[in-house]
Amino acid sequence: MKKKFVLIIALIALVCGFLYIKKTNSNQKVAAENEITEKETNSSEEASTTEKDEQLSNDELLNSFLKRLDELEKNTQEYGENKAITINTGNLLAHIVYPEGKYAILNDEIKKWVDKNIEVYTKESEISSAELSIDSSSYIINDDYISVKLTGFYDNSSYTHPEDLIKTFTYDIKKNKMISLKDIYTEETIKTLENTIIESNNLDRNFIDDKLLANFVFKHDSLEVNLKRGMYTPMSDGNIVTLLNKEYFTKNNIKYFESKKVETETVINNTAKEKKKRELPDLEGKKVIALTFDDGPSKHTNRLLDILKKNNAKATFFVLGNQINKYPNELIQIANDGHQICNHTWDHKQLTKLSEKGIEEELMKTRAQIFKLTNIDTLTVRAPYGSVNKRVKKVAKNLNMHFVHWSIDTLDWKTRNADATYKAIIKDAKDGAIILCHDIHKETVDSIDRVIKKLQEENYVLVTVEELFEIKNKTPETGKVYFNVK
Ligand code: NI
């Protein structure tokens, strides 16, 4: 009896050693499920902010977040370039980031899934407001395999819970096809893997189907199996991630996919120069206007920078934290060319749906990351979808930040046409206007040379938002939203 007990303990210890199980309540929305806890935290947060009236200085704010930057979980993005889609139908606000690289079959599968979800959720959002957010990770494991994982959520105001989304893709490079674990392992091995997932997560065998291992990802140090929230366990458990490492494979006599780390990590080879204020040109008899570019940097940013330089025009870039990791050199170049860099949050979440803590994280993580690369502390934010409320403004005020939105919306994300973008800008151009464009779209960048030439012809000087405030003798107030500067 005693022997058996010891054996069981040893077995449990063994299993625990090789498995790493993570229950993620990845998006902050999950917290809303536990209303009481959320309310309690919120009210104590509010109490503490009202108690201490002294505002933290920008240095103090930055330092507390800079220390934490290294602990941040960054998405690994080894395959291709990031493509981003932003949609605002009035009801549906969506931001989707997915990779596109050199393998057509893999690209097509990913794009098909993205398109299908946009279609389904656009329909789903016809009568009520909703947000769709999808982000991606990708791994080039060796000469054989590439794994891509898309995760996110769909949050409809008429649902009780946001719906979690997860989809993985694994591509066999040599065989030029998409694969599942069944293409690699014998039936017996699949059974072993399934049993491990069932036992380690205490799953009810009655609900197990043949999709248990469907959402798998090869990572450099493990095989990751994702169970979507609510699929095999109660909703309150969140998404469940099980990582099986190399020792687990050896122990169970399963062939391990040797990782051969291809150097795909973005090398930062650009250095930030000290920021110098430019001498403003003579503005006598001239009008001023600000071109702004959101959601980047992207693979099109360098070309845009060349166009701006050639035309002696300055612009403002509202960047996303998760894009900076992929395009750090572009970010530094924006600063070195004398353009203004501003904050567009970490991953384009609708701020009005987040808790105070969540809003602060979105703003400060991005601000700290921009500072780390450029030595510029930017206090200007553009809220994703222009969506702000009292809570969002209050948090921004506490962080000494203000919002700059726009007075001319080119709708370039929708038209995806250089001519349409050009017309949208020229038609509404005015002194003090702030124009919204996106440097993640090729067609937008295609339009800019013509746009600048025409604006200059019409007596405009293209300035940054910062310069616009200066020229108009205005100082932005913390917590306020500006649509133009007159
Ligand atoms: Ni945006």
Side-chain angles (χ1 to χ4, degrees), residues 52-68 360 364 367-368 371 377 379 398-400:
K52 49 166 184 168
D53 349 79
E54 105 237 44
Q55 187 108 4
L56 286 178
S57 75
N58 287 329
D59 281 350
E60 287 167 318
L61 281 167
L62 262 181
N63 281 332
S64 64
F65 271 82
L66 278 169
K67 276 189 218 130
R68 292 173 44 210
E360 181 179 309
M364 284 309 298
R367 180 168 156 188
F371 181 81
D377 184 18
L379 302 176
N398 287 339
L399 301 173
N400 305 326

mmCIF file of all heavy atoms in Angstrom, residues 52-68 360 364 367-368 371 377 379 398-400:
data_model
loop_
_atom_site.group_PDB
_atom_site.id
_atom_site.type_symbol
_atom_site.label_atom_id
_atom_site.label_comp_id
_atom_site.label_asym_id
_atom_site.label_seq_id
_atom_site.Cartn_x
_atom_site.Cartn_y
_atom_site.Cartn_z
ATOM 1 N N LYS A 52 -3.645 60.332 -3.160
ATOM 2 C CA LYS A 52 -2.401 61.068 -3.402
ATOM 3 C C LYS A 52 -2.638 62.032 -4.559
ATOM 4 O O LYS A 52 -2.855 61.596 -5.685
ATOM 5 C CB LYS A 52 -1.240 60.092 -3.696
ATOM 6 C CG LYS A 52 -1.565 59.044 -4.737
ATOM 7 C CD LYS A 52 -0.325 58.344 -5.226
ATOM 8 C CE LYS A 52 -0.669 57.406 -6.300
ATOM 9 N NZ LYS A 52 -0.419 56.678 -7.176
ATOM 10 N N ASP A 53 -2.625 63.331 -4.262
ATOM 11 C CA ASP A 53 -2.877 64.230 -5.385
ATOM 12 C C ASP A 53 -1.617 64.533 -6.158
ATOM 13 O O ASP A 53 -1.679 64.997 -7.264
ATOM 14 C CB ASP A 53 -3.488 65.599 -4.990
ATOM 15 C CG ASP A 53 -3.958 65.674 -3.579
ATOM 16 O OD1 ASP A 53 -3.132 65.849 -2.688
ATOM 17 O OD2 ASP A 53 -5.195 65.548 -3.421
ATOM 18 N N GLU A 54 -0.486 64.255 -5.546
ATOM 19 C CA GLU A 54 0.716 64.629 -6.286
ATOM 20 C C GLU A 54 0.881 63.711 -7.499
ATOM 21 O O GLU A 54 0.683 62.492 -7.417
ATOM 22 C CB GLU A 54 1.916 64.601 -5.339
ATOM 23 C CG GLU A 54 2.759 63.502 -5.527
ATOM 24 C CD GLU A 54 3.132 62.518 -4.499
ATOM 25 O OE1 GLU A 54 2.322 62.020 -3.718
ATOM 26 O OE2 GLU A 54 4.288 62.185 -4.575
ATOM 27 N N GLN A 55 1.131 64.316 -8.641
ATOM 28 C CA GLN A 55 1.242 63.592 -9.903
ATOM 29 C C GLN A 55 2.660 63.057 -10.046
ATOM 30 O O GLN A 55 3.617 63.751 -9.703
ATOM 31 C CB GLN A 55 0.933 64.587 -11.015
ATOM 32 C CG GLN A 55 0.835 64.010 -12.367
ATOM 33 C CD GLN A 55 -0.622 63.991 -12.834
ATOM 34 O OE1 GLN A 55 -1.504 64.480 -12.156
ATOM 35 N NE2 GLN A 55 -0.859 63.427 -13.977
ATOM 36 N N LEU A 56 2.782 61.830 -10.567
ATOM 37 C CA LEU A 56 4.119 61.307 -10.820
ATOM 38 C C LEU A 56 4.753 62.099 -11.959
ATOM 39 O O LEU A 56 4.070 62.494 -12.893
ATOM 40 C CB LEU A 56 4.040 59.834 -11.209
ATOM 41 C CG LEU A 56 3.743 58.821 -10.110
ATOM 42 C CD1 LEU A 56 3.664 57.426 -10.704
ATOM 43 C CD2 LEU A 56 4.810 58.866 -9.023
ATOM 44 N N SER A 57 6.042 62.321 -11.877
ATOM 45 C CA SER A 57 6.708 63.032 -12.962
ATOM 46 C C SER A 57 6.881 62.068 -14.136
ATOM 47 O O SER A 57 6.783 60.853 -13.973
ATOM 48 C CB SER A 57 8.080 63.521 -12.507
ATOM 49 O OG SER A 57 8.968 62.423 -12.467
ATOM 50 N N ASN A 58 7.158 62.624 -15.320
ATOM 51 C CA ASN A 58 7.345 61.765 -16.485
ATOM 52 C C ASN A 58 8.501 60.798 -16.299
ATOM 53 O O ASN A 58 8.427 59.650 -16.731
ATOM 54 C CB ASN A 58 7.565 62.629 -17.727
ATOM 55 C CG ASN A 58 6.266 63.281 -18.165
ATOM 56 O OD1 ASN A 58 5.197 62.715 -17.981
ATOM 57 N ND2 ASN A 58 6.360 64.476 -18.717
ATOM 58 N N ASP A 59 9.562 61.237 -15.640
ATOM 59 C CA ASP A 59 10.705 60.354 -15.393
ATOM 60 C C ASP A 59 10.315 59.183 -14.499
ATOM 61 O O ASP A 59 10.670 58.041 -14.761
ATOM 62 C CB ASP A 59 11.856 61.126 -14.731
ATOM 63 C CG ASP A 59 12.626 61.928 -15.766
ATOM 64 O OD1 ASP A 59 12.365 61.715 -16.973
ATOM 65 O OD2 ASP A 59 13.455 62.760 -15.373
ATOM 66 N N GLU A 60 9.560 59.486 -13.458
ATOM 67 C CA GLU A 60 9.122 58.421 -12.548
ATOM 68 C C GLU A 60 8.230 57.423 -13.271
ATOM 69 O O GLU A 60 8.369 56.209 -13.120
ATOM 70 C CB GLU A 60 8.368 59.021 -11.351
ATOM 71 C CG GLU A 60 9.265 59.741 -10.364
ATOM 72 C CD GLU A 60 8.455 60.585 -9.376
ATOM 73 O OE1 GLU A 60 7.492 61.257 -9.792
ATOM 74 O OE2 GLU A 60 8.797 60.569 -8.189
ATOM 75 N N LEU A 61 7.307 57.951 -14.059
ATOM 76 C CA LEU A 61 6.396 57.085 -14.815
ATOM 77 C C LEU A 61 7.173 56.178 -15.761
ATOM 78 O O LEU A 61 6.987 54.971 -15.792
ATOM 79 C CB LEU A 61 5.437 57.940 -15.648
ATOM 80 C CG LEU A 61 4.252 58.562 -14.923
ATOM 81 C CD1 LEU A 61 3.594 59.619 -15.785
ATOM 82 C CD2 LEU A 61 3.248 57.483 -14.544
ATOM 83 N N LEU A 62 8.078 56.796 -16.531
ATOM 84 C CA LEU A 62 8.848 56.030 -17.506
ATOM 85 C C LEU A 62 9.704 54.971 -16.855
ATOM 86 O O LEU A 62 9.727 53.827 -17.287
ATOM 87 C CB LEU A 62 9.759 56.982 -18.296
ATOM 88 C CG LEU A 62 9.258 57.431 -19.657
ATOM 89 C CD1 LEU A 62 10.275 58.339 -20.292
ATOM 90 C CD2 LEU A 62 8.955 56.252 -20.570
ATOM 91 N N ASN A 63 10.391 55.369 -15.769
ATOM 92 C CA ASN A 63 11.295 54.431 -15.117
ATOM 93 C C ASN A 63 10.588 53.188 -14.607
ATOM 94 O O ASN A 63 11.088 52.084 -14.744
ATOM 95 C CB ASN A 63 12.056 55.113 -13.982
ATOM 96 C CG ASN A 63 13.189 55.939 -14.553
ATOM 97 O OD1 ASN A 63 13.700 55.616 -15.629
ATOM 98 N ND2 ASN A 63 13.554 57.011 -13.875
ATOM 99 N N SER A 64 9.385 53.376 -14.051
ATOM 100 C CA SER A 64 8.696 52.209 -13.517
ATOM 101 C C SER A 64 8.327 51.245 -14.641
ATOM 102 O O SER A 64 8.325 50.035 -14.462
ATOM 103 C CB SER A 64 7.473 52.631 -12.719
ATOM 104 O OG SER A 64 6.544 53.254 -13.571
ATOM 105 N N PHE A 65 8.040 51.767 -15.831
ATOM 106 C CA PHE A 65 7.683 50.876 -16.938
ATOM 107 C C PHE A 65 8.891 50.355 -17.695
ATOM 108 O O PHE A 65 8.874 49.236 -18.196
ATOM 109 C CB PHE A 65 6.699 51.572 -17.890
ATOM 110 C CG PHE A 65 5.284 51.348 -17.480
ATOM 111 C CD1 PHE A 65 4.710 52.119 -16.495
ATOM 112 C CD2 PHE A 65 4.543 50.321 -18.044
ATOM 113 C CE1 PHE A 65 3.399 51.895 -16.084
ATOM 114 C CE2 PHE A 65 3.242 50.078 -17.639
ATOM 115 C CZ PHE A 65 2.671 50.871 -16.661
ATOM 116 N N LEU A 66 9.958 51.152 -17.757
ATOM 117 C CA LEU A 66 11.165 50.690 -18.457
ATOM 118 C C LEU A 66 11.709 49.435 -17.794
ATOM 119 O O LEU A 66 12.156 48.508 -18.463
ATOM 120 C CB LEU A 66 12.232 51.786 -18.450
ATOM 121 C CG LEU A 66 12.073 52.845 -19.530
ATOM 122 C CD1 LEU A 66 12.997 54.018 -19.266
ATOM 123 C CD2 LEU A 66 12.339 52.269 -20.919
ATOM 124 N N LYS A 67 11.646 49.394 -16.476
ATOM 125 C CA LYS A 67 12.146 48.231 -15.735
ATOM 126 C C LYS A 67 11.381 46.983 -16.113
ATOM 127 O O LYS A 67 11.915 45.895 -16.093
ATOM 128 C CB LYS A 67 11.984 48.477 -14.226
ATOM 129 C CG LYS A 67 13.121 49.264 -13.628
ATOM 130 C CD LYS A 67 12.999 49.287 -12.106
ATOM 131 C CE LYS A 67 13.402 50.649 -11.589
ATOM 132 N NZ LYS A 67 12.425 51.225 -10.656
ATOM 133 N N ARG A 68 10.116 47.166 -16.433
ATOM 134 C CA ARG A 68 9.274 45.996 -16.700
ATOM 135 C C ARG A 68 9.270 45.561 -18.167
ATOM 136 O O ARG A 68 8.705 44.522 -18.504
ATOM 137 C CB ARG A 68 7.843 46.286 -16.251
ATOM 138 C CG ARG A 68 7.745 46.391 -14.736
ATOM 139 C CD ARG A 68 6.363 46.846 -14.320
ATOM 140 N NE ARG A 68 5.343 46.140 -15.079
ATOM 141 C CZ ARG A 68 4.164 46.660 -15.385
ATOM 142 N NH1 ARG A 68 3.868 47.873 -15.022
ATOM 143 N NH2 ARG A 68 3.280 45.970 -16.070
ATOM 144 N N GLU A 360 -3.783 52.005 -18.645
ATOM 145 C CA GLU A 360 -2.430 52.463 -18.289
ATOM 146 C C GLU A 360 -1.364 51.568 -18.926
ATOM 147 O O GLU A 360 -0.373 52.052 -19.470
ATOM 148 C CB GLU A 360 -2.269 52.480 -16.768
ATOM 149 C CG GLU A 360 -0.901 52.969 -16.345
ATOM 150 C CD GLU A 360 -0.725 53.008 -14.829
ATOM 151 O OE1 GLU A 360 -1.584 53.582 -14.152
ATOM 152 O OE2 GLU A 360 0.269 52.447 -14.354
ATOM 153 N N MET A 364 1.410 53.016 -21.335
ATOM 154 C CA MET A 364 2.767 53.126 -20.786
ATOM 155 C C MET A 364 3.752 52.122 -21.393
ATOM 156 O O MET A 364 4.928 52.433 -21.556
ATOM 157 C CB MET A 364 2.735 52.999 -19.258
ATOM 158 C CG MET A 364 2.239 54.235 -18.535
ATOM 159 S SD MET A 364 3.042 55.792 -19.011
ATOM 160 C CE MET A 364 4.752 55.490 -18.561
ATOM 161 N N ARG A 367 4.742 53.709 -24.587
ATOM 162 C CA ARG A 367 5.554 54.905 -24.330
ATOM 163 C C ARG A 367 6.977 54.513 -23.906
ATOM 164 O O ARG A 367 7.957 55.095 -24.374
ATOM 165 C CB ARG A 367 4.855 55.707 -23.232
ATOM 166 C CG ARG A 367 5.564 56.973 -22.836
ATOM 167 C CD ARG A 367 4.643 57.815 -21.960
ATOM 168 N NE ARG A 367 5.382 58.721 -21.106
ATOM 169 C CZ ARG A 367 4.815 59.454 -20.146
ATOM 170 N NH1 ARG A 367 3.496 59.369 -19.929
ATOM 171 N NH2 ARG A 367 5.532 60.266 -19.408
ATOM 172 N N ALA A 368 7.082 53.508 -23.040
ATOM 173 C CA ALA A 368 8.400 53.069 -22.571
ATOM 174 C C ALA A 368 9.214 52.446 -23.705
ATOM 175 O O ALA A 368 10.416 52.665 -23.828
ATOM 176 C CB ALA A 368 8.239 52.079 -21.418
ATOM 177 N N PHE A 371 10.513 55.125 -25.942
ATOM 178 C CA PHE A 371 11.617 55.813 -25.270
ATOM 179 C C PHE A 371 12.893 54.978 -25.333
ATOM 180 O O PHE A 371 13.976 55.488 -25.602
ATOM 181 C CB PHE A 371 11.250 56.110 -23.813
ATOM 182 C CG PHE A 371 12.329 56.838 -23.077
ATOM 183 C CD1 PHE A 371 12.461 58.219 -23.211
ATOM 184 C CD2 PHE A 371 13.243 56.158 -22.266
ATOM 185 C CE1 PHE A 371 13.479 58.900 -22.556
ATOM 186 C CE2 PHE A 371 14.257 56.826 -21.617
ATOM 187 C CZ PHE A 371 14.378 58.201 -21.756
ATOM 188 N N ASP A 377 10.378 60.797 -25.124
ATOM 189 C CA ASP A 377 9.211 60.495 -24.295
ATOM 190 C C ASP A 377 8.013 61.200 -24.908
ATOM 191 O O ASP A 377 7.878 62.412 -24.816
ATOM 192 C CB ASP A 377 9.444 60.980 -22.858
ATOM 193 C CG ASP A 377 8.276 60.594 -21.953
ATOM 194 O OD1 ASP A 377 7.496 59.697 -22.347
ATOM 195 O OD2 ASP A 377 8.159 61.176 -20.860
ATOM 196 N N LEU A 379 4.152 62.202 -25.288
ATOM 197 C CA LEU A 379 2.992 62.364 -24.407
ATOM 198 C C LEU A 379 1.702 62.443 -25.207
ATOM 199 O O LEU A 379 0.635 62.666 -24.672
ATOM 200 C CB LEU A 379 3.159 63.636 -23.570
ATOM 201 C CG LEU A 379 4.432 63.668 -22.707
ATOM 202 C CD1 LEU A 379 4.566 65.000 -21.994
ATOM 203 C CD2 LEU A 379 4.417 62.525 -21.696
ATOM 204 N N ASN A 398 -3.636 61.396 -15.657
ATOM 205 C CA ASN A 398 -2.706 60.943 -14.604
ATOM 206 C C ASN A 398 -1.318 60.633 -15.152
ATOM 207 O O ASN A 398 -0.332 60.643 -14.425
ATOM 208 C CB ASN A 398 -3.236 59.689 -13.903
ATOM 209 C CG ASN A 398 -4.397 60.013 -12.990
ATOM 210 O OD1 ASN A 398 -4.562 61.167 -12.585
ATOM 211 N ND2 ASN A 398 -5.207 59.016 -12.687
ATOM 212 N N LEU A 399 -1.260 60.297 -16.443
ATOM 213 C CA LEU A 399 0.029 59.954 -17.056
ATOM 214 C C LEU A 399 0.641 61.158 -17.778
ATOM 215 O O LEU A 399 1.587 61.005 -18.545
ATOM 216 C CB LEU A 399 -0.162 58.792 -18.045
ATOM 217 C CG LEU A 399 -0.739 57.495 -17.469
ATOM 218 C CD1 LEU A 399 -1.040 56.504 -18.578
ATOM 219 C CD2 LEU A 399 0.225 56.876 -16.458
ATOM 220 N N ASN A 400 0.053 62.332 -17.580
ATOM 221 C CA ASN A 400 0.507 63.581 -18.223
ATOM 222 C C ASN A 400 0.371 63.534 -19.745
ATOM 223 O O ASN A 400 1.137 64.155 -20.471
ATOM 224 C CB ASN A 400 1.974 63.901 -17.880
ATOM 225 C CG ASN A 400 2.203 63.957 -16.389
ATOM 226 O OD1 ASN A 400 1.318 64.375 -15.645
ATOM 227 N ND2 ASN A 400 3.377 63.515 -15.942
#
